[in-house]
Amino acid sequence: MSKTKEQIFDVKLFKRLFDYIKPYKVIFFGLIFLVIMLAALSAATPYITKYAIDESITNKVEKDFLFYIMLMLGVLVMQTVFQLLFIYYAAWLGQNLVMDVRVKLFDHLLRFKMKYYDNSSVGVLITRAVTDMERIADIFGEGLFMIVRDLLTMTVVFGVMVYLNVKLSLIVFIMMPVLLYATRIFQKYMKRAFEEVRTEVSNLNSFVQERLTGMKILQIFTREVTEYKKFKAINERHKKGWLKTVWYNSIFFPLADLFSSITIGLVAWYGGLNVVLESSSVSQGDLVAFIMFVPMLFRPLRQIADKFNTLQMGMVAATRVFKVIDTTSQIDDLGTHVAQSFNGNIKFDNVHFSYVPDEEVLKGISFDVKAGETVAIVGATGAGKSTIINLLNRFYEIGDGVISVDGINIKEVTLQSLRTQIAVVLQDVFLFADTILNNITLNHPEITEEQVYQAAKDIGIHDFIMSLPDGYHYNVKERGAMLSSGQRQLISFLRAYTTKPSILVLDEATSSVDSYSEQLIQNATDKITKGRTSIVIAHRLATIKKADKIIVMDAGQIVEQGTHDELLKKKDGYYRNLYEVQFLQEEELI
């Protein structure tokens, strides 16, 4: 198969889609039956009309005329019922198939490494999960079955025409090769146009999603005009892509109608001439039947081209969706040890890691955390502090070395049980557009509302939550927009605490937090770290001084370890310099 043919009709892609039809085999074969019946009935009305004219009207005989009329009425009723069932169940099958594909896609996305999302546009992924899925549904609802029905209709009509009158059939078929060739060219160019349209739709979704998310930054730096121009340029490309499809349609469909009209004219001319001359080769019934047959032969061909547009869009969308599904970017979950709980002994042994090949972020770091200890990690931006959090939870795979908990390599622990025992409070707190309660429990069935109340009281933020409208049932809107940064941080602390983890990992960001929220956060930190192994990326001096051990990092390496007092005693030490620059003023304020 040539490259062009592969582009127009991807057999492997259809085979893959048909795998999703297996649970709905009864509906599928029912649709096949309806397609066959509709095709068989399509030629019935002209065929009956021929005999009604030749046997009753031409001969002016009333006998059987009413029978022909009632027969046509019966055919019409059957066609209507079958058509209704066909349209509904074709769409039903398409929507159910797409539901299964969408669920599989989302399940796949849930298991991707963080690295995949680092390199992917959220807007593009949304397009794959929403817009492209609807195009796949159209393959069955408005594309494939419609095309099969029209092809069968043409075959039946073709057979009946030849059976009735070979000479009139030859006149009709003279025009067919030209229209078939035009259809082939049309399909080829429409394929390219739809690929361009889908690409620009993804670009539009990605651009709009990112700009809406970062609208505050755009307005702070007065970039509205610049971004408007960028959007206008992307929208212009999108418009041009669609106009190509409109242009191809505006050429092909008038040509198809022209060929149909010319064919009807030729049939009327030749058939009418034979009727006038009373030739035995063409009857009045033949002439009327063929005038009815010509649109029935040409219209399906025209519709096939139209439905092929839908089919092409669906195929392009399916190709893009399956490309995501085929992406192997999951963390290997080959562990067999199911962790019910951890004592909390953590060990990093000569761990190397790179986000980008040949650009190491961690350069062979080693350290131990004993059960129940609180370890603070400090260092300049980019030193590798947050990377340690990501690796402990296996959001990324290490390049070399071993990370173990209680003497067990974390790769030997099932991913779910590992992450269940490690709670993380990130610097960038994310809240869903939902109630505070659901943001805390994340709809975990084993965490009750009463447990959440008690946990909030334990860490001292129950009164804060109850002061909000509707309390725990207050909807914080998208990304927690109804709360301040300090309030969002408090919710994230409670979310971590309610899971009763064995290990806590905290990235305690308190920049731009009011003094009241900061005090609550400090109290919450003290409460949830008590008696638990905790790794804290420290931003406050109070937390650092309370830590059992401080790990000082610089450029992906551990340069110092020790307690606050021990590290201050090192003359010209990295921590001491950091303390004097960053923390001394804070201590004076305290």
Side-chain angles (χ1 to χ4, degrees), residues 355-411:
Y355 290 105
V356 179
D358 302 323
E359 294 183 17
E360 279 196 329
V361 176
L362 298 183
K363 303 171 183 178
I365 68 167
S366 299
F367 66 88
D368 295 292
V369 182
K370 295 179 181 178
E373 277 190 339
T374 295
V375 173
I377 303 176
V378 300
T381 301
K385 305 186 297 297
S386 295
T387 300
I388 290 175
I389 294 176
N390 291 330
L391 297 183
L392 183 60
N393 283 274
R394 292 195 70 197
F395 292 140
Y396 299 85
E397 293 282 28
I398 62 176
D400 198 8
V402 175
I403 301 174
S404 59
V405 179
D406 294 346
I408 304 172
N409 189 327
I410 60 172
K411 290 185 178 181

Side-chain angles (χ1 to χ4, degrees), residues 172-190:
V172 174
F173 301 147
I174 287 173
M175 301 298 295
M176 290 297 292
V178 179
L179 189 56
L180 286 171
Y181 179 75
T183 302
R184 182 68 170 175
I185 298 298
F186 172 72
Q187 292 168 349
K188 176 181 175 182
Y189 282 96
M190 285 301 289

Side-chain angles (χ1 to χ4, degrees), residues 213-398:
T213 302
M215 186 59 68
K216 188 173 182 180
I217 297 298
L218 297 182
Q219 294 184 355
I220 287 173
F221 291 96
T222 64
R223 307 309 295 165
E224 294 94 336
V225 175
T226 301
E227 296 304 315
Y228 168 76
K229 290 179 180 178
K230 287 183 180 179
F231 179 77
K232 192 174 181 180
I234 296 174
N235 211 30
E236 180 69 21
R237 294 197 300 270
H238 178 260
K239 180 195 74 174
K240 287 181 178 178
W242 269 114
L243 285 178
K244 282 185 181 179
T245 68
V246 174
W247 172 243
Y248 298 146
N249 283 326
S250 64
I251 294 174
F252 174 77
F253 292 117
L255 280 177
D257 290 338
L258 177 63
F259 290 140
S260 178
S261 298
I262 291 173
T263 304
I264 291 174
L266 290 173
V267 167
W269 170 75
Y270 180 80
L273 190 62
N274 278 269
V275 170
V276 170
L277 297 175
E278 297 184 352
S279 171
S280 61
S281 60
V282 179
S283 69
Q284 292 183 28
D286 289 338
L287 179 59
V288 173
F290 267 76
I291 290 175
M292 295 174 67
F293 275 134
V294 170
M296 296 178 65
L297 190 65
F298 280 70
R299 190 185 305 115
L301 187 60
R302 182 186 186 281
Q303 290 176 341
I304 286 173
D306 193 18
K307 297 305 178 185
F308 201 88
N309 296 348
T310 302
L311 189 64
Q312 294 286 44
M313 291 186 73
M315 289 177 67
V316 171
T319 300
R320 295 176 186 273
V321 169
F322 284 130
K323 184 177 180 181
V324 178
I325 292 177
D326 291 339
T327 300
T328 53
S329 186
Q330 289 83 5
I331 295 290
D332 293 331
D333 190 8
L334 304 177
T336 56
H337 179 77
V338 179
Q340 300 298 330
S341 65
F342 288 131
N343 292 324
N345 294 292
I346 302 171
K347 183 174 183 178
F348 276 60
D349 184 10
N350 194 32
V351 173
H352 292 258
F353 175 74
S354 302
Y355 290 105
V356 179
D358 302 323
E359 294 183 17
E360 279 196 329
V361 176
L362 298 183
K363 303 171 183 178
I365 68 167
S366 299
F367 66 88
D368 295 292
V369 182
K370 295 179 181 178
E373 277 190 339
T374 295
V375 173
I377 303 176
V378 300
T381 301
K385 305 186 297 297
S386 295
T387 300
I388 290 175
I389 294 176
N390 291 330
L391 297 183
L392 183 60
N393 283 274
R394 292 195 70 197
F395 292 140
Y396 299 85
E397 293 282 28
I398 62 176

